[in-house]
Amino acid sequence: MPVPRVRRWKPLALTAAVLAGITVPATATATTSPAPAPAVTAVGAYDDTYYKDALGKTGPALKSALHTIISKQTKLSYSQVWDALKTTDQDPANSANVILLYTGTSRSKSSSGGDQGDWNREHVWAKSHGDFGTTTGPGTDIHHLRPEDVTVNSIRGNKDFDNGGGTVSGAPGNLTDGDSFEPRDAVKGDVARMILYMAVRYEGADGFPDLEPNDRVDNGSAPAIGRLSVLKQWSDEDPPDAFEKNRNQVIFDKFQHNRNPFIDHPEWVEEVW
């Protein structure tokens, strides 16, 4: 399949209304961008400690060094993920709510579940891509698990990421077609860096599949996800913001005690791929 031409894009403002097809609790409000998150520790401090064995490396050597570094982590159970996401994705403007990844809306932490109007746990690296399910490991790694509206999560399903498609009902700015999903502009880079984190963290050890990005869609159950060329451009055009950086810090400080290196060093995306 020929690789489609990647288009340039500009950030789109979210509409405040929630479209038909999704019931949102009265506590939910729309937001284009979360309020500034608390300041996090300067990344430079981690270069002398956490990342010291990766500095100066490129290509496969850098990927290998980062894998060794970030594989040292505390693993969560799938049930523990519920409470973790209530902290990692807390709305900076309302501590009773979480920010949903694709819709960008703020929804009550208590509205977690599986019914219409609830939010649930979205696997950004779809768990069927490698058949790792929800067992402790890649299926419970909160670096790629995010809160999302139940219906929108179902629409994304296990589709690969690419540009194009029709508008997702209830999630303005997101597009989808038969084999791919395009998130809203404000989180395109977030999605890319989560996917690339997973590809470095899970290299076939510990009984887990070797996850790798490729430049195709419709990957099915293979331990692969695409489209790499598009993900790289998304990461470049949507650099880490305060919310994403704070989330990385919270995961490191309170839960898994490992970091997403592509949030700390976005330039490493091009160095590895």
Side-chain angles (χ1 to χ4, degrees):
M1 178 184 294
V3 177
R5 183 179 179 181
V6 179
R7 58 182 172 79
R8 305 292 294 185
W9 51 269
K10 295 181 180 179
L12 301 174
L14 278 175
T15 58
V18 176
L19 302 183
I22 296 178
T23 303
V24 180
T27 55
T29 58
T31 177
T32 56
S33 180
V40 299
T41 306
V43 170
Y46 294 107
D47 285 354
D48 292 335
T49 53
Y50 191 72
Y51 292 123
K52 62 183 177 61
D53 292 334
L55 298 183
K57 293 181 171 65
T58 60
L62 175 58
K63 187 182 181 187
S64 177
L66 291 176
H67 168 74
T68 299
I69 291 167
I70 68 177
S71 294
K72 298 177 177 67
Q73 69 181 98
T74 298
K75 297 179 178 69
L76 306 180
S77 69
Y78 199 45
S79 62
Q80 288 175 317
V81 168
W82 284 118
D83 288 333
L85 295 185
K86 293 174 184 178
T87 301
T88 60
D89 291 78
Q90 179 173 294
D91 182 350
N94 184 348
S95 62
N97 288 9
V98 292
I99 298 293
L100 307 187
L101 176 63
Y102 300 131
T103 65
T105 54
S106 178
R107 190 165 299 179
S108 172
K109 292 178 179 179
S110 64
S111 296
S112 59
D115 297 328
Q116 186 177 26
D118 288 343
W119 62 267
N120 61 3
R121 298 158 290 187
E122 153 71 338
H123 288 79
V124 177
W125 186 296
K127 58 183 180 289
S128 65
H129 289 234
D131 289 327
F132 52 75
T134 58
T135 55
T136 299
T140 66
D141 193 317
I142 56 176
H143 275 295
H144 86 117
L145 283 160
R146 300 291 293 266
E148 187 47 63
D149 177 90
V150 167
T151 302
V152 175
N153 193 350
S154 179
I155 292 171
R156 188 265 157 146
N158 68 346
K159 295 174 183 176
D160 294 80
F161 293 103
D162 198 1
N163 288 317
T167 301
V168 176
S169 178
N174 298 265
L175 303 174
T176 193
D177 56 23
D179 57 19
S180 70
F181 190 90
E182 177 183 347
R184 61 191 177 99
D185 293 345
V187 296
K188 279 182 164 70
D190 307 51
V191 166
R193 287 180 286 273
M194 285 185 277
I195 292 295
L196 299 179
Y197 160 87
M198 292 292 283
V200 171
R201 169 59 186 89
Y202 298 99
E203 292 275 42
D206 305 327
F208 302 128
D210 180 6
L211 306 181
E212 292 295 339
N214 61 16
D215 215 37
R216 55 169 291 179
V217 295
D218 201 17
N219 276 291
S221 61
I225 205 164
R227 183 180 301 268
L228 177 59
S229 59
V230 173
L231 292 169
K232 287 174 62 178
Q233 185 158 1
W234 287 355
S235 181
D236 181 59
E237 294 182 337
D238 175 36
D241 61 15
F243 187 87
E244 187 182 3
K245 290 177 182 178
N246 184 69
R247 188 177 195 277
N248 195 29
Q249 191 68 39
V250 171
I251 292 172
F252 181 70
D253 289 340
K254 296 185 177 182
F255 297 103
Q256 294 185 179
H257 311 296
N258 70 338
R259 304 182 69 82
N260 182 334
F262 303 111
I263 296 174
D264 293 331
H265 283 279
E267 73 278 8
W268 281 347
V269 171
E270 193 63 37
E271 293 289 348
V272 174
W273 286 279

